[in-house]
Amino acid sequence: MEFVEFAVLATLLLTGTLARAADGARDQTGIQWVLPFPEALKKAKAERRLLLIKPIAFGTSKDGGW
Amino acid sequence: MLRAGPFSDERIVRQINRRFVPLYFDLNPGGALADNKARGFVVKARKELGGASVNTPPVLVMTPDGDVLGEVDNYASEETMLDSLRDVLQKHADWNQPSDDEKKIARSGTPLERANVLFDLGNVDAARRLLEKETGAAESALLAHLCRLAKDWDAMEKALARVKGGELEDDARVERAWHRYAEHDFAAAAKEVAAVGKESRRTTEARYLVGLAQWQQGKKDEALATWKATIEHCSQDPWIYRADWAFTQASEGSDGHGSFSTGGPRTSPLGRIGYMGRRNPDLDPP
């Protein structure tokens, strides 16, 4: 594969996963989650609030499973 | 487990919504709920989370500049998480300032609005003192709720005597049911919430409580059926997550002590993934 093709493919793959968290079914615990990350960061800066971040390592599903 | 436990605890939900900007994402870049920008932000601060296989990550409290100010274990109890969040806020007062909305409520809000902000921030005693001066039904319902959480039953009943009419009646039924439940009068607890309708905002809590009452009376099959029906027929909310936690653990063995994991088929009615963690404390006798 040529380098340019690889770069395009890599870019597509990366952008395709940038905001999946925001596309899945939302958690309904009552916590007012802010997704994706850029939105959360923007809000935290604007309102001078700390980010509370839960990284998930067990796997996730589009229907909101985690 | 995190969502069914600490993240479904009203006190923690209120504290997070009032003082934090919460975010979740899948660490696996190919995961269904991936967020690579969030991943980059977190891995920069915690390089160990960037590996192909990582231990269960904690909940991280971070500044927008990427500094980690606190963390809470994924399997922490509700009390541990609440203490940890409040500890971070106490130690970093510059991140714990009232919003414009809060300032406005402090200046000109109703007693109910002010009490809710105090409750959000964990200042329950001040909220109670404020509400004790009021005689309205809504104020009394919130006061009764705070008294119930503190297991101050006499004060709860005194407040509930002023709660009459409409949906607040369901609030009164649920609070009284928890009182009966705490006194091990499980049949009375279930009877107390029998009139809570499907449209009530307390219906999932009421159904969860009925399942618990059945469980404590040794009626395991009935309890499982109650929780499963609640999960399948009601909109998701914290009590649905809690019911899912109870169901999955109560399904394991006769005493609910099984080490449930979704490593195999996803048998959690909500389809939750992974190790379900510690035992749901609600399965123990009150």
Side-chain angles (χ1 to χ4, degrees), chain A residues 40-62:
Chain A
L41 188 62
K42 189 174 155 190
K43 184 176 169 68
K45 284 179 177 174
E47 298 179 9
R48 192 151 179 79
R49 292 289 179 237
L50 293 169
L51 292 155
L52 184 130
I53 305 176
K54 175 51 197 161
I56 304 161
F58 271 122
T60 54
S61 59
K62 201 74 178 169

Side-chain angles (χ1 to χ4, degrees), chain B residues 25-70:
Chain B
F25 70 97
D26 192 334
L27 267 173
N28 177 358
L33 302 179
D35 185 333
N36 285 347
K37 287 189 175 176
R39 186 178 192 279
F41 183 79
V42 165
V43 170
K44 191 175 176 186
R46 287 293 164 90
K47 295 195 171 32
E48 69 272 19
L49 296 179
S53 177
V54 300
N55 291 327
T56 306
V59 177
L60 296 168
V61 178
M62 298 179 70
T63 68
D65 291 330
D67 296 323
V68 179
L69 299 188

